[in-house]
């Protein structure tokens, strides 16, 4: 890998289908609590996104479940404080998780360029 080259971005936002995330019935009228269903995802995204959303002080609760192992979807429940809403919390959580991933990727690429890594056989 060359020092200034960057790896191709294999996943872009245009590749994400519109129906990827769905809001399930039962959201509160003030939108402070709702459940999102994310298609074709599992524990990897569910737990990471739950962690990122729980960093938001306006979120009282965030949890996820996989309804059934044969269903390729993750349900994510968010409950926020008054004055906030679950849609904004989800949006911020997705942005924050993406930022964390970009930071980790940058550090990884920097260490590769610098040769600062150990090999194990």
């Amino acid at each position: 890998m060359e020092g200034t080259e960057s790896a191709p971005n294999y996943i872009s936002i245009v590749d994400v289908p519109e129906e990827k995330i769905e809001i399930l019935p039962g959201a509160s009228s003030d939108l402070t609590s709702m459940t999102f269903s994310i298609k074709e995802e599992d524990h990897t995204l569910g737990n990471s996104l739950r962690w990122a959303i729980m960093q938001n002080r306006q979120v009282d609760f965030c949890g996820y479940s996989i309804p059934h192992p044969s269903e390729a979807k993750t349900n994510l429940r968010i409950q926020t404080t008054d004055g906030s809403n679950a849609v904004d919390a989800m949006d911020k959580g997705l942005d924050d998780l993406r930022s964390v991933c970009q930071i980790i990727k940058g550090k990884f690429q920097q260490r590769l360029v610098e040769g600062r890594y150990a090999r194990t056989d």
Side-chain angles (χ1 to χ4, degrees):
M1 177 177 210
E2 297 297 318
T4 57
E5 285 184 32
S6 64
N9 185 5
Y10 293 107
I11 301 172
S12 71
I13 196 69
V14 295
D15 296 334
V16 178
E18 187 176 311
E19 60 278 351
K20 178 78 172 176
I21 300 177
E22 170 186 20
I23 297 173
L24 298 180
S28 63
S29 59
D30 61 357
L31 304 180
T32 57
S33 63
M34 62 180 55
T35 302
F36 299 86
S37 183
I38 309 170
K39 294 180 178 102
E40 303 297 325
E41 297 299 343
D42 58 17
H43 294 284
T44 304
L45 181 65
N47 196 37
S48 300
L49 190 53
R50 180 204 57 80
W51 173 83
I53 291 170
M54 283 303 298
Q55 303 308 302
N56 183 342
R57 292 183 181 268
Q58 294 182 316
V59 173
D60 290 330
F61 172 82
C62 182
Y64 80 96
S65 66
I66 308 294
H68 191 276
S70 66
E71 290 184 86
K73 67 179 177 180
T74 299
N75 291 341
L76 188 83
R77 176 79 176 170
I78 301 173
Q79 292 175 228
T80 63
T81 59
D82 293 335
S84 182
N85 68 66
V87 173
D88 290 344
M90 175 68 129
D91 190 47
K92 180 174 177 7
L94 289 165
D95 287 343
D96 291 350
L97 183 57
R98 178 180 222 160
S99 294
V100 168
C101 290
Q102 288 172 336
I103 290 167
I104 292 169
K105 180 181 177 182
K107 295 278 185 188
F108 173 75
Q109 290 175 334
Q110 178 184 356
R111 297 256 165 84
L112 285 177
V113 169
E114 295 170 353
R116 292 178 47 202
Y117 54 91
R119 291 184 184 227
T120 58
D121 294 323

